[in-house]
Amino acid sequence: MKNIMRIIKGLSFSLYNMSRLKNRFRLLFSYKNNVLDPESFPSIVQVEITNRCNLKCTMCPVIKSERSKSDLTFELFEKIVLDSKGLCELLVLTGGEPLLNKDIFRMIKFATKHGLKTWLATNATLLTPDKGILLLESGLDQLIISFDDGGKENYEIARVGANYEKTYKNITEFLELAKKVKHNTYITMQCIDMKTTQNSTLQFVEKWSPYQVNTFIKPVVNWSANKQNWRGKNFKCDKPWYWMTIHNDGNVVSCGHDYDQSNVLGNVKNKSLIVIWNNKKYSDFRHVVCETKKDNELCNLCEYVAPRDRSILKDIGLLFIDMSTISKLLVTFGYKKRNWKE
């Protein structure tokens, strides 16, 4: 109940205007009716703040990527925000490890200034008290702290390069700080449900219960399922209609799983986000998704299945609840990874 009250407290009525309502309707109508040119704007924009990381986690595709390592510039981030404001409802700030980008706090403040909610995930290895204060004062809407706590040995097997005791100290000091500093950040302690943690998820929830945070056991997603069309013909991914992914070099790719840029749909350095979102490359990609991905190797090998089935009630929710709130509800109530046969 405390988490629900925090979600309600964090509601931003600036996200509830006629323009955003019309955009949500267009997105929902386009997805359900296979409209390839939705004449809309993505409600979620995922921005790769950096593709650098200080760890080599066993479940992460970043360590396999062949792209050169660099950070998103503040100037390019400014353009993304200015292109997004007014219709986009949530900026998902990802990496790599976002705290490696020295401009991350300026970026969050800039996005907040222009009415955009921000979401950030960190492995907490760099979450010093100084950075913790800057995060809490930046206007960040949602913070995910990924700590796959299966004990010291299992943690350091999965999170290669991390020190269990140091990371745990960083987190506890930050959470104590969050009790004292006035902020509106919705904080979630996240543990990925995998082999090294499967026997300790209950202890994970209990461990963080004394703190004023949400806890979430996240289903692991295989980024390369190595199966052709394993979901069957009735599955249709929702991301091409709701979600835009932008890499640190400005390239827009099909989704967050396209970490090696196999399907580039445009570049925000020379085109606006709305032009890219409605261009022919994006339309062609949506057509492939509608045709059960038979011509797209990236999608064929992906294990992603939307965590919620569509229904009239949930469609109404997508129309009248903003994506920032929806993302909080998902990590608060949790979800199970669905089998396509269900």
Side-chain angles (χ1 to χ4, degrees), residues 85-333:
K85 70 175 186 178
L87 291 175
C88 174
E89 299 176 358
L90 181 64
L91 279 184
V92 174
L93 310 179
T94 65
E97 169 52 50
L99 294 185
L100 284 171
N101 189 321
K102 61 181 177 60
D103 291 320
I104 184 61
F105 310 109
R106 289 175 65 202
M107 290 173 171
I108 297 170
K109 283 185 176 182
F110 186 78
T112 302
K113 175 183 175 181
H114 288 278
L116 292 172
K117 295 289 188 177
T118 50
W119 178 108
L120 182 143
T122 178
N123 59 35
T125 57
L126 304 175
L127 191 57
T128 62
D130 288 344
K131 289 181 179 178
I133 291 175
L134 290 172
L135 268 184
L136 294 172
E137 293 179 345
S138 67
L140 180 67
D141 185 53
Q142 189 173 172
L143 175 66
I144 306 292
I145 300 176
S146 297
F147 187 61
D148 308 314
D149 190 358
K152 175 179 172 61
E153 182 179 359
N154 284 329
Y155 170 79
E156 293 179 358
I157 288 173
R159 298 275 177 174
V160 179
N163 177 274
Y164 179 89
E165 291 84 2
K166 182 180 178 181
T167 307
Y168 182 77
K169 181 174 182 288
N170 285 351
I171 295 170
T172 53
E173 288 182 348
F174 172 76
L175 295 181
E176 288 294 342
L177 180 67
K179 291 180 181 180
K180 303 171 185 177
V181 176
K182 185 177 181 181
H183 68 92
N184 292 316
T185 304
Y186 190 74
I187 303 170
T188 293
M189 287 299 306
Q190 174 181 284
C191 177
I192 297 177
D193 187 9
M194 54 187 174
K195 187 176 181 179
T196 56
T197 62
Q198 60 187 5
N199 295 322
S200 55
T201 53
L202 289 178
Q203 296 95 312
F204 178 85
V205 174
E206 292 172 0
K207 177 179 287 188
W208 302 107
S209 59
Y211 299 93
Q212 298 174 6
V213 295
N214 177 49
T215 53
F216 175 48
I217 308 301
K218 181 182 179 180
V220 65
V221 173
N222 185 350
W223 289 58
S224 182
N226 198 28
K227 299 176 183 178
Q228 291 288 321
N229 292 320
W230 74 280
R231 294 186 217 71
K233 64 181 181 179
N234 293 323
F235 173 78
K236 186 178 73 174
C237 183
D238 56 358
K239 289 196 174 184
W241 282 268
Y242 282 93
W243 197 299
M244 175 182 277
T245 300
I246 306 171
H247 280 173
N248 56 350
D249 58 2
N251 277 338
V252 175
V253 295
S254 46
C255 78
H257 290 203
D258 190 5
Y259 49 89
D260 266 331
Q261 301 187 352
S262 65
N263 188 26
V264 176
L265 306 171
N267 191 292
V268 300
K269 291 179 180 178
N270 49 44
K271 295 289 183 182
S272 69
L273 269 63
I274 196 165
V275 167
I276 295 172
W277 183 249
N278 294 285
N279 70 13
K280 186 178 185 303
K281 286 186 177 181
Y282 238 121
S283 297
D284 291 344
F285 174 57
R286 294 185 185 105
H287 176 71
V288 169
V289 172
C290 290
E291 294 296 316
T292 68
K293 307 154 290 302
K294 63 183 180 181
D295 297 320
N296 190 304
E297 182 179 359
L298 177 72
C299 294
N300 280 330
L301 300 180
C302 175
E303 198 184 25
Y304 169 78
V305 180
R308 296 285 182 249
D309 288 307
R310 299 292 184 184
S311 67
I312 293 177
L313 183 61
K314 288 164 187 172
D315 286 345
I316 292 173
L318 284 171
L319 282 176
F320 294 102
I321 304 177
D322 67 272
M323 279 297 174
S324 174
T325 301
I326 288 174
S327 69
K328 292 174 187 174
L329 291 172
L330 283 174
V331 296
T332 299
F333 291 103

Side-chain angles (χ1 to χ4, degrees), residues 6-13 16 117 321-322 325 328:
R6 283 198 287 269
I7 292 174
I8 293 173
K9 182 181 177 181
L11 284 172
S12 174
F13 292 100
Y16 293 86
K117 295 289 188 177
I321 304 177
D322 67 272
T325 301
K328 292 174 187 174

